[in-house]
Amino acid sequence: MPTPSEISNRQSEITNLKSAPHRAEWAPPAHAPRRSVFGNYRPEPEPAAAEPVAAPSPLTPAAPQDHPETSDTALARAFLYRFLARAYEDPTPLGWAQLCAPDTQEHLTAAWKIAGDRVAGSAPAEVPASPGPAEETAGALDHAECARIGNPPDGRPEVCAAFTPAAFDAFLDAYLAAFGHAARGPCPLNEIEYGDLKADPLFQPHRLADLAAFYRAFGLEVAEDAGERHDHLCLELEFMCVLAAKEAWAREHQLDAEPLALVRDAQRKFLREHLGRWTPAFTRRLERHATGTPLAALARFTRAFTLAECARLGVPPGSEDLLLRPADEAAALCESCGLAQALPGAAPAAPA
C-alpha cells in the first residue's frame, strides 16, 4: 500500500511525462481543446485502427526477438481495447449491432491474430522485475488456461461466435444481473471496489487521484456527461487504446526513441498499477456469475487479452482472488474525503 508521499511522488512522475523533449510533436497542441477519454477523443481517421489488420496471415507465436513490436501490432492492440470498451458500455440495440457486424468481427479476428498470440506461451517481450514464486505460479496457470481461448481452432475468438444479433436479449439480461440496477451489482465495473479488505482507508481516493494524473499527463479528461468515475473499466480500456494508438503513431513516423519509450512505459505502469491489477479478479467473478451467456464469453476474452498484454509488457497479472471492499466502508470514506460522487454500493448518508 503506497504512502501519501509515494502517491505524491507518483503523480509528479506521471505529470513530468509532459515536460520531456519532443513535447511539441508528441503532446496535444496547447491551442487545441482538451480531449476526453470517453467523449471528445477520436482517432483520426477513426477506421485507422482496423486498416492494417484487415487481412493478416495467421501468425505462429514466436520468441520476442522473432516477433518484434510494430505499428501494426500497436494498432491491433488499440482496436482490441476499443472493442472491449464498447462491449462493456450499457447495452443498446444499435451498439450491439455494431459489435456483431461482420466487418467488426473480421477486424477483431485479424487484430487478435496479431496482438493476442502471447497467451499461447511465448516469452514476455519485456522482462519484469523479478516476480515472486506466487506470481510466477499464478501467471503460468493463467496462461495455460487462456491458451485455448487465445488460439481457437478456426482462428476466430470465442466472443465472435457468442456475439450474434439474436443474442442481444441474453446479453442484456446477463449484463443487468451482473452489474445491476443498483449502485453496485455482484460484479462492479469500478477498479477501487476490488482490493485488500485491510488496506489503508485512503486506498480508494489515492487510486482515483492516480488515475486522474495518468489521464491529465496525456491531455485527457473525462467528459462531464460521462457519468462514471475515473476508475470505470470502460475509461481504463479507452485510455490504453489511446496509448496504444500513440505508440502506433510513433512507430509509423519513426520518432526518436524517447517518445516511444515514454508511451511504452506509461502503458506498462498503467497496466501494472491499474488495469492489469484488478481485471483478472473482475473477469473471473463475472465469468462465474454469467455462466453460459455471451457475457461470460466476453469475460474470458477480456482475461485472455489482459494476460497477453501483461506478457507483452512484462507485468505480472493481478490476483484473481481480490475481494470486493465493503460497501458501507465506501460510504464512510465518501463522507470523510468529500468525493463528489458516491462510491458504488455506498449506503446513503444519514440526515444531519
Side-chain angles (χ1 to χ4, degrees), residues 177-180 183-199 203-204 229 231 277-286 288-289 319-330 344-346:
F179 307 130
R184 185 172 85 169
C187 306
L189 285 161
N190 293 85
E191 173 188 346
I192 64 176
E193 299 310 307
Y194 299 81
D196 185 353
L197 300 183
K198 299 180 180 179
F203 168 85
Q204 292 176 316
R229 291 200 317 260
D231 67 326
R277 184 193 71 85
W278 69 282
T279 48
F282 161 74
T283 53
R284 178 66 73 189
R285 174 181 287 268
L286 180 59
R288 291 170 178 167
H289 190 275
S319 171
E320 294 185 358
D321 298 324
L322 285 179
L323 300 177
L324 295 183
R325 294 175 61 80
D328 290 341
E329 177 181 313

Side-chain angles (χ1 to χ4, degrees), residues 129-188:
S130 302
E135 292 171 331
E136 291 175 347
T137 302
L141 292 175
D142 287 341
H143 280 264
E145 174 193 357
C146 288
R148 176 186 58 82
I149 300 170
N151 295 272
D154 61 356
R156 295 176 72 239
E158 176 192 9
V159 71
C160 289
F163 278 34
T164 64
F168 175 69
D169 288 340
F171 182 85
L172 178 61
D173 290 344
Y175 189 97
L176 294 176
F179 307 130
H181 296 282
R184 185 172 85 169
C187 306

Side-chain angles (χ1 to χ4, degrees), residues 60-64 67 116-125 143 147 151 307-308 311-312:
T60 302
H67 186 66
D117 65 290
R118 293 194 183 279
V119 296
S122 59
H143 280 264
N151 295 272
L307 293 173
R312 170 170 280 106

Side-chain angles (χ1 to χ4, degrees), residues 11-28 213 216-219 258-259 262:
Q11 293 173 3
S12 297
E13 176 189 356
I14 296 170
T15 304
N16 286 339
L17 290 170
K18 297 172 66 176
S19 63
H22 309 286
R23 176 180 177 182
E25 63 182 349
W26 190 245
R216 285 196 303 269
F218 287 89
E258 189 167 9
L262 285 173

